[in-house]
Amino acid sequence: MRRFAAFLSLFAICVGTAFAQSGYPYTQVPFTSVKITPNTFWGDRIQAAREVTIPLAFSKCESEHRYKNFEMAAYTLQHPGHPGLKTPEWDVAKFMGFSFDDTDVYKTIEGASYVLQTYPDAKLKAYIDSVLDVVGAAQEPDGYLYTARTINPEHPHGWAANRRWAAEEHASHELYNLGHMVDAACAHYQATGSTKFLDIAKRYADCVVREVGPNPGQACVVPGHQIAEMALARLYVLTGEKKYLDEAKFLLDYRGKTDHKDIYSQSDKPVVDQTEAWGHAVRAGYMYAGMADVAALLGDSSYIKAIDTIYENIVGKKYYLTGGVGARHGGEAFGADYELPNLTAYNETCAAISMVYLFERMFLLHGDAKYIDCLERTLYNGVISGMSVDGGKFFYPNPLSSDGHYRFNADGTMTRQPWFGCACCPSNLCRFIPSMPGYIYGVRDNDLYVNLFASNTATIQVGGRSIELQQETNYPWDGDISIRVNKVAKAKSSNGKSSNGKSSNGKSSNGKLSNGQINMMIRIPGWVQSRAVPSDLYSYSDDIFSTYDITVNGQRVDSELENGYFVINRNWKKGDIIRIHFDMPVRTVVANPRVTDDRGRIAVERGPLVYCTEGADNKAINPHHLLLPNHPKFDMQPAYGIQNTEGDGKTFNVTAITAQAQEATIADDGRLAVKDVNITLIPYYAWNHRGAGKMDVWLARSLSGLED
C-alpha cells in the first residue's frame, strides 16, 4: 500500500510538471541534461565542491549543532512539556547562533543533489537520506518546520516571537527557511527521483499557504528575508499546484502594504513602484529573481517593467567591475548611484550569486545576450572569488582593493576563512557551484542558445528533436571552442507522437520557419564586441578591436547578430563540428567619471576575467602605489603557478599578465618620485591564496612616461 501511495505521489508530480511550464519565453536547459567534463576549469570547481566543500559543510552541520537542532526539536515533539524545556540546556539562544541555521543543512543537501546528478554516489545518497530522517522528525504535525521555535515554543530563539510569523518581517526567517528547504527539495527530487525531501517541503509549504496570507485568521506578513517567492514558484512548476504560485504572488504583492515598512528589506513600497536597487543586496537579488518568476508564470507586465527598470539601475549605476553588488558594510547593502568604493566594498558572495539568478531570468524573459554577459562577468569574478580553488576556504565580502586587513575576521586579516558563524556564504556556494551546468544552454522553439563556454556533454530537447552536443574548450584561458554534434534524434511530444516543432501556422513563435532545422545561437560576448558592460558604467579605454571567426565542418559561416547571438540555421547531423574563435587580447577599462573612487584609474581584463595586482607576485612593490600608462604593453604568462599556501599547499595554474609600470615612492629628500617597475597581474578570483596582503584591481594612471 505504501508503494502504491508513493507511486501516486510521483505520478502526480510528473503530471504536474507537464502541466506547469516555467512561463518564460526561453527555457533553461536543466542541470540534469548537462555534464561538465572533468579536469577542466569548471570540472575542477565542481570536483572541489564535491570532494571538499560539501563534505566540509556536512561536517560543520555536525560540529556546529545544525543536526542537533533538528534532534532537539524532534525530542520536544515526542515529549511535549518535558522538564528539559525549563533547563539552561534547552535555552535556544545559548546554542543556536541564528534563526536561519537550519538552512545550512538544506543548502548543503541541495548542492550534494546537484553533484549526485554528475557523480552518482550510493554512499552520499544514503547519507542524505539519513539526514532527511533527522529533518523530517522535527516537523510538527501540521507541517511547520522551524527548529528555532519547536525546540522550546515558550522561549524560542531571540529573533523569533511568542507566536508563529509574528517576527517574520523582522528577523525570525521562518519563510527564508522555507525557501531554502523548497529549493533543496526540488533539486533533490530532480537529481534522485525520490520524493522523500519533497514531501517534507510540501508539508511546510502547505502550512504556509494555510497560515500566511491576506484572509481573516491568517498572518498578513511578507518575508523579512526573501527567497520563498522564487522557491514557491519553482515548487509550482514542479508540481502544478497553483496554490504555491498564488502564495508567491501574495508575498510579493503585499510588500509595502503591511505594517512593517523598511528600505533594508525592500518593503518600504510595493514592488511595482520600486525603480532602483536598495537595501540588503542579497534580499534584493532574491526578490527580483522571484518577481521575474512570478511575472513569467502569470504574464504580469507591471512586474516585468519594474525588474527591467531595477536591472538598468544595477548594471548602469551600482555594479562592480567584478560583477559584485553591495557597496556598503552597513546593512550589507547597495549604495547610492555610482557609490562603488573599492577598499571598503562589501560585495557579499551571496549577493553575487543572487545576481546570477537575476541575470539568468532576465535572459529567459527577453532572450538578449547582454544579460548573459553580466551573468558571465559575475560568475567568473564576483562568485568564484568567494571560494578558494581547493574548495576549503571562503570570502564573505569581496573587495576590489585590500591592505591585508579586515576587521570582521577573528584574526583581523583579509583572508578566506574555513567557516563563519553566519555560514550563509559557504553553504550557498555548496549549492551554487554544482548547479553551474544548468546555466550553459537555453532553448526556445527551434533555437538552441549556447550561453556559456565550458567543456561538457549535453542532451537537449529543441525543435522537436533531441540533440546531443559535446563542447570542448580551454575557456577562459583562450577563446577557442568546438561544439560537436554527437547525436540527433526525433523527440517525442507530450502527446507521445513525433514532434516536428511546428506551431499551428507552421512557424515557431518567434516567426522563424520551423522545418525541422535547429538554429544554433552562439553568444558573441560583449567583451568581443568591445562592450565591457551593457551600460556606460565601464568602457574600454584602448583602441583594440577583437574579432571572431566561426566555421561549420571547416567552412567559414557568416551571420548578422540577433540580440548578441550568431545564428547558424542547419539540419544538423551526427559529426557536425562548429569551431569558434574569439580573439582574447588584454584590454584596459575605465569607469564612468561619476564613480569617484575610480577616477584617474585603469583596470585590466582579458576575456571574461578581471585582473588584479597582488603583493605576492610583486615583491618589494606596493600595489597601491602603482601607476599604469594609458597604453601599456602587456605580455601573457600562460601556466603561471600560484601556490595555495592558505589551503592544500598545491600549486594551480592561471594565465598571468605582465606589464611595465611605475611605482610612486618618497625619495630621501621627501619628494615624490617614480621608478620603472615590471608588474604581474593575476585573475581577481585567484588572489589571496598566499596569505593576507595588498591587492588592487584599479590602478592609478601614469601622468608621464611609458605612454607609448
Side-chain angles (χ1 to χ4, degrees), residues 136-404:
Q139 189 161 39
E140 297 188 20
D142 65 354
Y144 185 80
L145 211 173
Y146 177 66
T147 68
R149 173 181 304 284
T150 305
I151 289 171
N152 191 340
E154 296 180 7
H155 302 285
H157 187 278
W159 287 9
N162 59 358
R163 66 186 188 281
R164 293 180 182 181
W165 322 117
E168 170 55 38
E169 295 186 323
H170 298 274
S172 72
H173 289 77
E174 288 154 285
L175 295 175
Y176 175 77
N177 284 16
L178 167 74
H180 277 299
M181 179 196 294
V182 167
D183 263 342
C186 290
H188 182 257
Y189 166 72
Q190 287 178 279
T192 67
S194 168
T195 63
K196 186 172 185 176
F197 198 6
L198 192 62
D199 290 341
I200 295 170
K202 286 182 63 181
R203 290 186 65 216
Y204 190 17
D206 291 343
C207 174
V208 170
V209 169
R210 288 192 306 270
E211 296 189 3
V212 179
N215 302 315
Q218 291 184 305
C220 190
V221 297
V222 296
H225 194 311
Q226 302 90 308
I227 199 174
E229 304 88 342
M230 55 195 289
L232 287 167
R234 181 177 183 177
L235 187 59
Y236 161 68
V237 170
L238 187 66
T239 65
E241 297 184 47
K242 192 169 182 293
K243 61 184 176 181
Y244 302 129
L245 178 61
D246 292 340
E247 186 71 12
K249 184 73 158 54
F250 159 76
L251 296 178
L252 289 167
D253 278 349
Y254 272 73
R255 295 198 85 77
K257 300 177 183 178
T258 65
D259 292 338
H260 183 75
K261 295 178 175 60
D262 187 359
I263 196 170
Y264 170 77
S265 59
Q266 299 80 38
S267 60
D268 58 314
K269 63 175 67 174
V271 294
V272 294
D273 295 334
Q274 297 185 26
T275 58
E276 64 176 298
W278 52 50
H280 189 272
V282 183
R283 286 167 163 83
Y286 288 166
M287 186 182 82
Y288 305 148
M291 289 172 65
D293 286 341
V294 171
L297 288 163
L298 295 176
D300 193 316
S301 60
S302 63
Y303 272 31
I304 295 174
K305 180 181 178 181
I307 57 174
D308 282 347
T309 301
I310 291 168
Y311 160 82
E312 295 292 343
N313 176 251
I314 292 172
V315 174
K317 298 175 182 178
K318 299 185 178 184
Y319 189 53
Y320 276 92
L321 187 66
T322 53
V325 294
R328 299 176 180 175
H329 278 271
E332 302 176 323
F334 286 99
D337 290 350
Y338 304 108
E339 181 188 341
L340 296 166
N342 296 307
L343 186 64
T344 61
Y346 200 65
N347 282 345
E348 185 181 338
T349 300
C350 288
I353 291 173
S354 79
M355 288 298 103
V356 172
Y357 295 151
L358 173 62
F359 296 147
E360 173 70 2
R361 285 161 170 78
M362 297 302 290
F363 162 75
L364 296 176
L365 280 174
H366 301 300
D368 197 305
K370 68 181 182 180
Y371 302 112
I372 304 299
D373 290 344
C374 294
L375 186 156
E376 182 180 65
R377 176 175 293 276
T378 299
L379 183 64
Y380 277 95
N381 302 286
V383 170
I384 63 173
S385 62
M387 185 173 81
S388 60
V389 294
D390 63 2
K393 288 192 174 182
F394 312 93
F395 274 153
Y396 206 108
N398 295 269
L400 278 70
S401 178
S402 175
D403 57 10

Side-chain angles (χ1 to χ4, degrees), residues 496-519:
K497 297 179 180 180
S498 178
S499 170
N500 62 4
K502 293 181 181 180
S503 64
S504 59
N505 62 2
K507 295 184 178 181
S508 62
S509 63
N510 61 9
K512 297 174 183 176
L513 289 176
S514 179
N515 54 7
Q517 295 183 329
I518 293 173
N519 300 307

